[in-house]
Amino acid sequence: MKADAAGLLAGFLLDAVLGDPRRFHPVAGFGTAAGALEKKVYAPDRRSGAVFTAVAVGGPALLGLAGAAATRRRPVARAALVAATTWTVLGGRTLRRESRIMAGHLDHGDLPAARGRLNHLCGRDPSTLDSAELARATVESVAENTSDAVVAPLIWGGLLGLPGLLAYRAANTLDAMVGHRSARYARFGTPSARLDDLLNLAPARLTGLLTIAVSPIAGGRPKETLRVWKRDRNDHPSPNAGQCESAMAGALGVRLGGRNVYFGRSEVRPFLGDGPRPSAVHLRRAARVSGAVGAVAAVLAAGIAWARS
């Protein structure tokens, strides 16, 4: 619908100007509700995890359907509701701000502050990370979350309107809560993780392509970025993260990947890209790339919504 298109663009601009709501964030409220549901249905098996995922994602989807039905013949109300929802589910401004804050800490050599800030972006153990590893973790998180927190919700909003926005954000939030590998969630979290992977298949690849297109904004060359993306994108163990990270590595001219240490476990990831390890200057460039990719994705999503009308 045309109202959906207008709402998506307005919501994107609200996020660009205001960032995440500082208090009473609806996504945080959803996380609290999902945590309460988990306590009621948890069992260490995939069947229980599937029930948890279906209820926790289905509820927001139904809420979106109800909102769409209630505003079917009220385009101004529909546009306002889509705008508010889009603003709620996006995280682009916050992502860029965190990248620049980390760059500032690294510029000043303040490793304690940088380590303390990393958990705003990812779940790695920062206690032993040096400047280069903190910068690498930040670039990888910005690349992946440009898809998860910007491109994917916009595209699903363009395709399905309010139900798409809410269902996608619910699925992505569940993946962050229970989709990681641990003794508790090894089986229970699998349905949430697989659903998130499925919903991000197309957006992650679109993010890679858009990163290639906007790479000159970070001093990169589209031809070289495309080469790195085509060569390295499928080396990552995640079906989606490598699409975004390899393109970002090519755009910035850096090498990503290596050993990631989480709390209680570690993983060795293949190298992505060529060149040096990232530094503070690359964090600011990554923020510019993320912002440009989000802007193009917002226009594309609005075009998709317009075409649905």
Side-chain angles (χ1 to χ4, degrees):
M1 294 181 63
K2 295 176 181 178
D4 284 356
L8 286 166
L9 290 175
F12 176 79
L13 291 175
L14 283 171
D15 176 69
V17 173
L18 302 176
D20 288 334
R22 294 186 179 274
R23 300 181 64 186
F24 308 113
H25 198 304
V27 174
F30 169 78
T32 300
L37 176 64
E38 179 194 340
K39 292 179 180 178
K40 292 183 178 297
V41 304
Y42 176 82
D45 57 65
R46 293 184 181 180
R47 181 177 179 179
S48 299
V51 171
F52 170 70
T53 303
V55 174
V57 175
L62 290 174
L63 183 63
L65 285 170
T71 56
R72 187 182 303 278
R73 293 179 175 83
R74 302 168 63 193
V76 174
R78 168 69 70 85
L81 185 57
V82 171
T85 304
T86 302
W87 172 41
T88 296
V89 303
L90 294 185
R93 179 182 174 88
T94 298
L95 184 63
R96 297 189 297 275
R97 184 182 72 240
E98 290 299 327
S99 186
R100 293 181 179 120
I101 290 173
M102 181 66 77
H105 290 325
L106 296 182
D107 274 339
H108 292 91
D110 192 346
L111 286 184
R115 288 168 178 160
R117 198 77 192 185
L118 187 63
N119 66 0
H120 289 242
L121 285 167
C122 64
R124 298 182 199 178
D125 182 356
S127 61
T128 62
L129 299 185
D130 60 14
S131 177
E133 285 299 294
L134 287 164
R136 175 173 74 87
T138 301
V139 170
E140 291 172 356
S141 295
V142 169
E144 183 176 3
N145 284 302
T146 296
S147 176
D148 289 359
V150 184
V151 176
L154 285 169
I155 295 303
W156 283 110
L159 289 169
L160 300 176
L162 284 166
L165 288 166
L166 292 173
Y168 172 77
R169 177 48 63 206
N172 189 247
T173 302
L174 293 188
D175 180 59
M177 292 175 63
V178 306
H180 50 85
R181 297 175 184 174
S182 68
R184 178 176 175 83
Y185 297 128
R187 298 182 66 81
F188 180 83
T190 297
S192 293
R194 294 294 177 266
L195 177 60
D196 183 69
D197 286 344
L198 179 64
L199 294 179
N200 277 294
L201 282 174
R205 284 147 184 80
L206 177 60
T207 300
L209 292 171
L210 293 180
T211 299
I212 294 165
V214 307
S215 58
I217 202 171
R221 293 182 294 119
K223 184 177 180 179
E224 173 62 14
T225 306
L226 176 63
R227 181 189 70 81
V228 172
W229 180 70
K230 290 173 69 176
R231 184 192 69 189
D232 296 344
R233 58 183 176 150
N234 294 319
D235 290 345
H236 198 285
S238 164
N240 299 318
Q243 305 289 329
C244 313
E245 292 180 17
S246 61
M248 185 68 83
L252 301 181
V254 297
R255 172 176 282 190
L256 303 177
R259 182 169 178 260
N260 295 344
V261 178
Y262 300 91
F263 295 93
R265 62 188 176 89
S266 66
E267 298 178 4
V268 177
R269 303 283 175 81
F271 291 122
L272 307 174
D274 306 308
R277 286 304 210 187
S279 61
V281 67
H282 297 111
L283 304 190
R284 296 186 176 89
R285 293 175 184 171
R288 290 202 296 272
V289 169
S290 180
V293 167
V296 178
V299 174
L300 289 175
I304 293 169
W306 187 283
R308 283 196 291 114
S309 66

